[in-house]
């Protein structure tokens, strides 16, 4: 494995957000990863800007989680150049809350700033859990635990929010509610977002842009030019959904 060039983007102070010119919060050039000599990611070049919501689709084993872990810098054993901001947050399919800490301390975990508490409380209110600040995680439903995990991620005011199948374990109705919540949170807090999902509908409903990994190669990178409201009933939704299913090797008839 070669030595990666990893840098830190500092975007918050210098560049105010401008249409189409928001600061870049992921700048990956030629990123590659092998395990035991087997290439899993090949020559990934990808930029994500602050405020942009990117969905990452791919078949099982295509390298999605590997890429997310690299962008989170949980895995630094890659080739190529990567720049991501210091202020980044990751959410996984399981909420990974500490069972021995109540909800608010979970949200505030690792934050030392005296103003953090107020921010944590405000975020709990935003995710509809103001009354649960003193609850133990195990007393919450799966959806509530994921809402706490989102509050925890946003408490760091991340410039980059990375999510790996965050709603994968939730029932269909809870997922729909989480989609609405997430869109609102992202609109208000404006991080750059990379959402790994298996779910084509989820990708097309939520994202501004969709990328597809095929056997470790970025095989598609496309803006989603659909209205935010009424997206599912827009004719463009069905068309893009079909194209993505084809790209993923699943015909509409199989679905
Ligand atoms: N630590 C590791 N050691 C060896 N191989 C690994 C490791 N991590 C991932 N791989 C391999 O890399 C490939 C891509 O895995 P990855 O988890 O990134 O895929 P994925 O697209 O996220 O899959 P899924 O949708 O099933 O979660 C797989 O073949 C996997 O076995």
């Amino acid at each position: 494995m070669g030595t990666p060039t990893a840098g830190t983007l500092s975007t918050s102070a210098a560049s105010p957000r401008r249409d189409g010119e928001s600061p870049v919060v992921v700048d990956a050039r030629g990123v590659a990863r092998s395990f035991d000599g087997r290439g899993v990611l090949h020559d990934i070049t990808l930029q994500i800007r602050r405020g942009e919501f990117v969905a990452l689709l791919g078949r099982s084993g295509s390298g999605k989680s590997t890429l997310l872990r690299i962008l989170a810098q949980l895995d630094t054993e890659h080739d190529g150049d990567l720049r991501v901001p210091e202020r980044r947050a990751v959410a996984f399919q399981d909420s990974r809350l500490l069972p021995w800490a109540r909800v608010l301390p979970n949200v505030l975990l690792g934050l030392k700033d005296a103003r953090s508490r107020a921010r944590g409380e405000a975020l709990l209110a935003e995710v509809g859990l103001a009354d649960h600040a003193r609850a133990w995680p195990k007393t919450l439903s799966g959806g509530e635990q994921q809402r706490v995990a989102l509050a925890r991620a946003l408490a760091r005011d991340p410039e980059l929010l990375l999510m790996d199948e965050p709603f994968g374990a939730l029932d269909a109705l809870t997922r729909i509610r989480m989609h609405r919540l997430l869109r609102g949170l992202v609109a208000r807090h404006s991080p750059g977002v990379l959402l790994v999902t298996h779910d084509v509908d989820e990708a097309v409903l939520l994202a501004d842009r969709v990328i597809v990994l095929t056997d470790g190669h970025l095989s598609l990178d496309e803006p989603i030019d659909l209205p935010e409201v009424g997206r599912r009933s827009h004719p463009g939704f069905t068309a893009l959904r079909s194209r993505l299913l084809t790209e993923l090797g699943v015909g509409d008839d199989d679905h």
Side-chain angles (χ1 to χ4, degrees):
M1 197 61 43
T3 310
T5 313
T8 295
L9 291 168
S10 178
T11 59
S12 51
S15 345
R17 191 172 167 201
R18 290 178 301 248
D19 278 350
E21 261 189 72
S22 309
V24 171
V25 289
V26 169
D27 191 3
R29 290 167 199 261
V31 166
R33 177 67 162 110
S34 303
F35 293 107
D36 307 320
R38 185 171 70 91
V40 165
L41 286 178
H42 311 276
D43 195 20
I44 303 292
T45 291
L46 174 70
Q47 278 82 40
I48 300 177
R49 291 180 179 275
R50 188 147 190 192
E52 207 180 4
F53 194 137
V54 180
L56 169 55
L57 287 167
R59 297 168 80 150
S60 183
S62 58
K64 302 183 296 299
S65 295
T66 302
L67 179 57
L68 181 128
R69 287 176 52 78
I70 289 172
L71 298 186
Q73 307 239 294
L74 297 171
D75 176 3
T76 54
E77 296 288 306
H78 59 84
D79 289 319
D81 296 343
L82 174 65
R83 283 157 60 82
V84 288
E86 288 279 359
R87 274 199 348 258
R88 54 184 185 267
V90 197
F92 296 95
Q93 180 164 338
D94 52 329
S95 61
R96 303 196 180 184
L97 301 178
L98 299 178
W100 58 86
R102 293 177 194 264
V103 162
L104 184 59
N106 259 289
V107 170
L108 300 178
L109 195 73
L111 297 177
K112 295 190 177 67
D113 188 323
R115 289 161 301 177
S116 302
R117 186 183 174 90
R119 184 173 170 83
E121 285 172 340
L123 276 160
L124 276 181
E126 255 193 88
V127 301
L129 292 174
D131 296 343
H132 292 68
R134 289 187 49 76
W136 295 103
K138 67 168 190 279
T139 66
L140 304 182
S141 69
E144 288 169 339
Q145 290 183 22
Q146 281 306 68
R147 278 147 67 190
V148 176
L150 279 178
R152 181 182 55 189
L154 290 168
R156 278 138 197 79
D157 192 17
E159 296 175 81
L160 174 63
L161 175 59
L162 301 160
M163 290 182 285
D164 197 349
E165 292 273 349
F167 313 133
L170 303 178
D171 67 85
L173 286 177
T174 307
R175 275 172 92 107
I176 291 170
R177 293 176 60 195
M178 293 296 289
H179 288 164
R180 289 202 189 118
L181 176 69
L182 180 62
R183 280 182 73 125
L185 289 170
V186 168
R188 284 191 294 280
H189 296 273
S190 256
V193 177
L194 185 76
L195 170 74
V196 170
T197 178
H198 281 110
D199 183 340
V200 173
D201 285 19
E202 182 167 281
V204 182
L205 273 177
L206 292 178
D208 315 310
R209 179 175 151 209
V210 61
I211 61 180
V212 176
L213 268 179
T214 306
D215 297 334
H217 297 270
L218 264 190
S219 60
L220 184 140
D221 182 346
E222 197 161 300
I224 299 181
D225 194 12
L226 292 171
E228 295 228 341
V229 179
R231 195 174 264 211
R232 194 187 272 282
S233 50
H234 193 280
F237 180 94
T238 323
L240 180 56
R241 182 178 185 279
S242 300
R243 277 193 47 217
L244 290 170
L245 286 171
T246 305
E247 180 71 25
L248 295 164
V250 188
D252 267 342
D253 295 345
D254 302 327
H255 212 61

